[in-house]
Amino acid sequence: MPDKILVVDDEKEIADLVELYLCNENYQVYKFCTAGEALACIRSTELDLAILDIMLPGTSGFAICQKIREKHTYPVIMLTAKIEESDKITGLTLGADDYITKPFRPLELVARVKAQLRRYKRYNPYNSGRAEVPEPEELSLAGLLLNSRTHQCLLDEKPLSLTPTEFSILRILLENQGQVVSAEELFRQIWQDEYYVKSNNTITVHIRHLREKLGESAGYIKTIWGVGYKIEK
């Protein structure tokens, strides 16, 4: 079965262009111009990824992203005509995994989609029968337990809901406990995408969001200024 992708953009030409390129890659596209239609689709359809325009009439793409994150962990890519860093940070803080600024190259968007889906399937093998189940793998630190096979994260035996990007960052840090991992290395391992523009702010926001979810255990993740991040008790 093809991956199911939600595309929400009130500019018909852009929505049609995105749909064309995604369909050429054999994805199943659910295309909408309004937030209401998109929210109905989110409730009724098992999706694999969402592409959301920020500037929509009525409800914004930010609000849709927030609604998705209430129940789902599949990747969200934000489309924005704004170049302000605050808008990008807002999207990432609400749970988006990536953002791309208009105007954009369609092939760049397709590459981002493929990178996000590869990561999502790798660490969510039970979301569909299409993904290959990796070898069981558990990583732990004090009361934190991460299972890469089931994509489950437990903090003091309680489930912790993480986005695919947050899960990947935490996995990489746990695999390198006590060692510093640079932002560049995190990008290389997570996105593996020649089109991806490196931005330390992107990693910074994901780390901040991860720390908020970890609560009192957030101190495990340490920032080594000018070098990168490491996790240790």
Side-chain angles (χ1 to χ4, degrees), residues 2-195:
D3 292 313
K4 299 176 181 179
I5 299 179
L6 172 68
V7 175
V8 188
D9 199 308
D10 63 336
E11 296 183 62
K12 187 177 184 303
E13 295 80 4
I14 293 179
D16 289 346
L17 181 65
V18 172
E19 180 184 33
L20 174 64
Y21 273 82
L22 292 177
C23 286
N24 284 341
E25 296 291 332
N26 297 317
Y27 295 120
Q28 185 172 345
V29 178
Y30 295 79
K31 180 183 64 177
F32 303 101
C33 295
T34 67
E37 294 172 311
L39 290 171
C41 178
I42 291 166
R43 289 190 294 268
S44 63
T45 308
E46 186 176 339
L47 299 167
D48 295 288
L49 183 142
I51 301 173
L52 309 176
D53 183 24
I54 290 179
M55 302 297 291
L56 294 170
T59 304
S60 71
F62 289 145
I64 298 175
C65 178
Q66 198 168 22
K67 199 68 178 176
I68 289 173
R69 284 294 171 252
E70 289 178 3
K71 294 184 177 180
H72 307 287
T73 60
Y74 54 76
V76 175
I77 298 175
M78 306 297 297
L79 293 180
T80 174
K82 297 184 176 183
I83 60 174
E84 288 85 353
E85 196 68 22
S86 60
D87 290 299
K88 298 174 182 178
I89 291 175
T90 297
L92 294 171
T93 300
L94 291 174
D97 296 278
D98 200 359
Y99 59 82
I100 187 167
T101 304
K102 298 177 181 179
F104 58 86
R105 293 175 292 178
L107 288 177
E108 176 181 357
L109 178 59
V110 170
R112 303 272 189 103
V113 167
K114 289 181 177 180
Q116 291 292 342
L117 285 173
R118 278 197 305 269
R119 206 155 38 84
Y120 181 55
K121 288 184 180 183
R122 181 178 177 187
Y123 300 115
N124 290 268
Y126 297 112
N127 280 322
S128 72
R130 300 182 294 271
E132 182 177 337
V133 179
E135 292 297 321
E137 180 181 4
E138 285 193 352
L139 300 165
S140 62
L141 175 68
L144 187 63
L145 178 66
L146 198 75
N147 189 309
S148 294
R149 182 175 61 84
T150 62
H151 195 264
Q152 185 178 37
C153 180
L154 299 177
L155 179 59
D156 295 328
E157 300 185 354
K158 296 180 180 179
L160 195 65
S161 178
L162 302 178
T163 68
T165 300
E166 292 163 358
F167 189 93
S168 294
I169 289 174
L170 188 56
R171 175 187 59 81
I172 294 168
L173 293 178
L174 285 171
E175 286 176 342
N176 296 274
Q177 285 185 39
Q179 302 178 40
V180 179
V181 182
S182 68
E184 289 76 13
E185 180 63 16
L186 286 172
F187 268 114
R188 188 189 69 78
Q189 291 197 44
I190 294 172
W191 279 276
Q192 299 180 1
D193 179 2
E194 62 178 304
Y195 291 106

